[in-house]
Amino acid sequence: MAPFGRYFVYILASRRYGAIYVGVTGNLIARTYVHREDILDGFSSRYKTHLLVFYEQHGDPIEAITREKRIKKWLRPWKIRLIEENNPEWRDLYPDLLG
């Protein structure tokens, strides 16, 4: 991640109520693209978590990493509630990032 700028905590899903992936990045568009295109082997390619259903921006990398770690420890229903409070339709937010 870059030493300054914007940092994002994000959640990807395979479908509504499907598999969920929580991550952190300094470049949300590029990182989401990597997940969507299965460029790297791992959780996202295995479980097809390609839909960007939640993200939040942070100004400090430590704050973003701390938030990501906290969310990862949450129970699944809490993660689902976070998604639905911000994106009740589980709409893919990636196209919005592209303009």
Side-chain angles (χ1 to χ4, degrees), residues 38-81:
D38 294 330
I39 293 172
L40 300 173
D41 287 336
F43 187 91
S44 283
S45 62
R46 189 174 316 118
Y47 293 99
K48 305 300 182 204
T49 53
H50 297 159
L51 303 174
L52 178 65
V53 294
F54 171 83
Y55 67 90
E56 61 187 24
Q57 184 176 330
H58 298 268
D60 177 61
I62 302 303
E63 178 184 307
I65 292 166
T66 301
R67 174 75 165 155
E68 178 218 18
K69 288 180 179 182
R70 185 171 293 131
I71 292 172
K72 280 186 172 191
K73 290 180 182 178
W74 286 3
L75 298 174
R76 180 178 171 80
W78 300 355
K79 295 173 192 172
I80 289 172
R81 186 174 0 168

Side-chain angles (χ1 to χ4, degrees), residues 86-99:
N86 293 278
N87 184 5
E89 299 300 316
W90 291 61
R91 190 173 62 80
D92 185 9
L93 305 174
Y94 184 70
D96 297 348
L97 297 177
L98 302 177

